[in-house]
Amino acid sequence: QIMVLSCKTATIIAAALLVLQSRVEGARRSEAVRKMIAARNLEFAGLPDPKCHTGVVAMKEKGKSQVCCAGYCGECSDYPTCMSVRGQNSTFACCKTQVFERRCGSAPANVCLKKCTEAVPPCIMEEGETFKAPDPKMRTAGTDCNKAVEDWRKKVAAAVKPKKRL
């Protein structure tokens, strides 16, 4: 009877872990899809992505430019499976070293990767600048949303109210 109880408990825990993992994977996937759509929109509009908002920034290495990999990569480094993300050849989009070696001036002109000030990811970040993620403690629209709603309602009320005549 103890063995049956242990098996049931183990099954419940395994099922819970699978559900939790699928939610995390779903969140990662939706973020990657959002970045891909944003990158396509920028590319279609002919706009660059100088801060790598639609991609994934690689860690800074002394003496090297930072690299911005494609948004679907998940991370921008030389991890073991970077050459085949989502079952496609992603060597020159997700592998940090390969992306850096494809920079214009080092690779043939028909396959070279431009700077991010001129193109969308994968691209090469501007030299001399270190790009990092924004501080999570920084104030955002979400932190003062209720105050913004209150201010907006006051402005609407003032705009709708007729002026007093003297």
Side-chain angles (χ1 to χ4, degrees):
Q1 200 173 27
I2 295 174
M3 186 67 156
V4 171
L5 195 59
S6 296
C7 287
K8 285 182 181 178
T9 306
T11 305
I12 291 170
I13 291 172
L17 287 174
L18 284 173
V19 169
L20 182 62
Q21 183 179 5
S22 67
R23 286 185 182 172
V24 170
E25 290 299 321
R28 283 187 194 151
R29 178 141 176 92
S30 65
E31 179 66 14
V33 168
R34 184 197 66 76
K35 285 186 175 191
M36 283 190 327
I37 291 170
R40 282 186 191 151
N41 290 341
L42 281 176
E43 190 171 23
F44 184 73
L47 299 172
D49 185 9
K51 303 284 185 192
C52 192
H53 291 292
T54 61
V56 182
V57 181
M59 296 291 288
K60 176 69 177 160
E61 283 185 30
K62 212 171 201 174
K64 284 188 176 181
S65 294
Q66 277 182 289
V67 174
C68 177
C69 294
Y72 65 84
C73 297
E75 67 177 271
C76 189
S77 65
D78 293 324
Y79 56 99
T81 59
C82 70
M83 293 178 229
S84 61
V85 174
R86 290 198 194 153
Q88 63 184 358
N89 182 5
S90 56
T91 304
F92 301 108
C94 300
C95 298
K96 176 182 169 182
T97 303
Q98 298 296 327
V99 170
F100 184 71
E101 288 174 0
R102 276 259 171 128
R103 68 192 181 282
C104 290
S106 297
N110 63 333
V111 293
C112 78
L113 296 174
K114 297 178 182 177
K115 291 187 177 254
C116 294
T117 54
E118 305 168 20
V120 294
C123 54
I124 311 300
M125 303 293 282
E126 237 0 88
E127 288 184 43
E129 282 189 62
T130 302
F131 297 89
K132 55 186 175 189
D135 181 13
K137 295 177 185 172
M138 194 167 88
R139 196 185 114 195
T140 62
T143 58
D144 67 350
C145 185
N146 291 333
K147 178 92 170 102
V149 170
E150 182 183 318
D151 291 347
W152 181 81
R153 286 185 177 152
K154 286 179 184 175
K155 288 178 184 176
V156 168
V160 174
K161 195 182 282 185
K163 286 187 176 182
K164 291 182 184 179
R165 295 194 177 185
L166 297 174

